[in-house]
Amino acid sequence: MKNNELANTADYVCVYAFKEEEVETALKRDGRFIDKIFQKLCLLSQEYKGEAEKSQRSRYEMSDLAEDLNQKTFQIIAIDGRRPETQMKLTKTSSVPNLPSAADSEKNDLCQHPTNTEQKTIQERKTRSAGPSTEGNATQNNSSGYSGYSCSTEIEDILQTQCKVLFDMLQSPENKKLYQEEFDKSLQSFTDVKNVKWLMDLSDSVCLIKVENSARGTGFLLFDRFILTNAHVVKDFVYSPPEAPHTLKLLRKCVALFNYEVIESVGEVLKVNDVVVAYAYGLENDESHDFALLELDSAPHNCTELLERCKPGPSPHSGGIYIVGHPDCGVKKMDPCFIVGIENRLPSINKHISENVSCPYVSWPCWSCLHQNHITYDSCFFHGSSGSPVFDEHCYLIGMHTGGFHYKHVYTGRSVIEFSVSIQSIIKKIHTQIKTRSEIFYLFSKFEFVKNITSGADMPAVRQETLSEEVEAMDIN
């Protein structure tokens, strides 16, 4: 036991487990047992209360299911000093200095067991791993050290006996059944053919955004001829002309490149009009906004309006997602990953800190910069992927990939946690900004998703705020 006081006062402890889990899993979760029993090759030896029980099976392995051990009493015994994967690394050698004596080996075993249990463990190890003649040699060597045997011969004998035990264990019916079940388990997968085909079609709506022939980020066709991207992709050249102070325009020429899936492919290049349809970059009511709705000269060919792939309801707090975009402003790629729920954000950030103790400063501001309209996850999409659509595991559009907490570590880039802005909050904000532009408002409001989330909504005046330097520093692009 980890607790010496408990080990000295308690003869038995009760361990609770789920029926279908392995014994080792239950013991680890219990938390009271020393780590050595998971590092050594251990068995459970059943203690009998009567002669009638002795006809039953007496040994159980750590990989057995807990339901086979219900209401039984055991001692944990070590049948060898190493795990199988450690045993396989041993090699024959001509000389081994400072070989341990039998007394040292006994001392290094599971010292928490009582003396009679330890003696029983060593004797069982000899019985399982050697025949009568070998056991006699082992007894002789234990009493007189390793004299009379060359080191290489002694090690060879040990390896032969150990490998036999290991081979017998691997051939046992219980282990064969375990291996089959391990490889046959049903795990959540992102390789469903239906989803892949669907995403292939939806990915045609994703484009690479270029400003004066320089790739800046990612966007996607939201509806009709209007594409959505992050505001920070174009904010450096957005301005308000003096003659129309309430209008935003692009100072530089911008194009959207569709079907860029192979290096140097031409794709479909469409010009972006200089008037920005809707734009928000700031904080409001604990919600972070970072989007720009841009208008193309014409709608791209054979592309799905991704507003069709939105459904009412809150953003998911768990499950798998797909991000489709242009990381590093290169060819189009897809990243399947899992949502980090709100309740798991802080543990995820702390885990990153503990695994990267040389760079703790990058994690400190993360928690305060995440807001209620953010969906968080761990993705490998960094620079250039801002503005990518985020789909849930059923291929519904749930957000726009916006940023993360990126930093350089040696020669590689890392990120503490990444986030997207929920599509619901973006659509609500767009709705308030375009209500005076009747033609665009008509094309926008015909979607069922827009009707559902904006029905009865107030129409507040548009208010822009500037992000703090701290939040601005977290942009991916």
Side-chain angles (χ1 to χ4, degrees), residues 281-283 464-469 472:
Y281 185 66
L283 298 174
Q464 299 289 340
E465 293 184 9
T466 303
L467 282 175
S468 67
E469 291 183 1
E472 186 171 354

Side-chain angles (χ1 to χ4, degrees), residues 453-465:
I453 68 172
T454 59
S455 58
D458 295 331
M459 300 296 184
V462 179
R463 182 165 65 92
Q464 299 289 340
E465 293 184 9

Side-chain angles (χ1 to χ4, degrees), residues 88-263:
M88 300 304 291
K89 294 178 181 177
L90 293 176
T91 56
K92 181 176 178 179
T93 179
S94 58
S95 62
V96 180
N98 301 324
L99 286 172
S101 65
D104 291 333
S105 299
E106 185 171 342
K107 182 185 294 185
N108 291 330
D109 216 327
L110 294 177
C111 58
Q112 279 74 3
H113 288 298
T115 303
N116 60 339
T117 307
E118 183 65 26
Q119 292 171 348
K120 178 181 177 183
T121 301
I122 296 172
Q123 183 60 41
E124 286 169 344
R125 187 190 312 172
K126 295 175 183 177
T127 305
R128 281 181 65 90
S129 63
S133 61
T134 309
E135 185 176 346
N137 290 333
T139 304
Q140 179 182 355
N141 288 333
N142 285 339
S143 61
S144 59
Y146 284 88
S147 60
Y149 256 35
S150 71
C151 291
S152 60
T153 305
E154 180 69 23
I155 292 175
E156 183 175 358
D157 288 347
I158 292 173
L159 287 176
Q160 286 176 348
T161 57
Q162 288 179 348
C163 288
K164 182 179 184 305
V165 174
L166 180 59
F167 181 79
D168 291 342
M169 289 180 60
L170 293 176
Q171 294 301 312
S172 67
E174 293 84 358
N175 275 335
K176 283 186 175 181
K177 181 173 182 292
L178 174 65
Y179 298 150
Q180 292 168 4
E181 290 179 352
E182 282 292 335
F183 288 105
D184 198 34
K185 284 183 178 177
S186 176
L187 297 176
Q188 187 173 13
S189 172
F190 290 101
T191 55
D192 295 343
V193 172
K194 177 188 69 175
N195 282 356
V196 172
K197 287 183 176 179
W198 212 336
L199 284 168
M200 290 302 98
D201 290 338
L202 297 177
S203 69
D204 291 339
S205 302
V206 180
C207 61
L208 178 65
I209 295 178
K210 289 187 172 185
V211 179
E212 294 182 349
N213 207 34
S214 175
R216 295 278 303 190
T218 303
F220 58 91
L221 183 68
L222 187 64
F223 67 99
D224 197 77
R225 61 187 183 278
F226 300 91
I227 62 172
L228 189 66
T229 187
N230 282 130
H232 70 256
V233 172
V234 296
K235 75 179 180 67
D236 290 341
F237 45 92
V238 169
Y239 75 105
S240 296
E243 66 275 12
H246 299 295
T247 301
L248 294 179
K249 287 191 173 184
L250 300 176
L251 188 62
R252 301 177 186 174
K253 293 182 179 179
C254 183
V255 298
L257 175 59
F258 288 83
N259 302 320
Y260 182 55
E261 298 170 0
V262 180
I263 294 177

Side-chain angles (χ1 to χ4, degrees), residues 360-420:
Y361 58 89
V362 301
S363 303
W364 293 336
C366 297
W367 179 250
S368 60
C369 292
L370 295 173
H371 301 278
Q372 63 181 15
N373 65 330
H374 284 168
I375 304 168
T376 48
Y377 39 79
D378 290 320
S379 169
C380 62
F381 270 29
F382 297 154
H383 298 286
S385 58
S386 292
S388 301
V390 179
F391 302 95
D392 68 7
E393 54 195 10
H394 304 294
C395 300
Y396 285 104
L397 179 67
I398 61 171
M400 180 170 60
H401 187 50
T402 299
F405 302 88
H406 186 267
Y407 64 98
K408 287 288 185 181
H409 181 71
V410 192
Y411 300 108
T412 62
R414 293 184 180 177
S415 179
V416 182
I417 196 170
E418 300 75 52
F419 62 90
S420 64

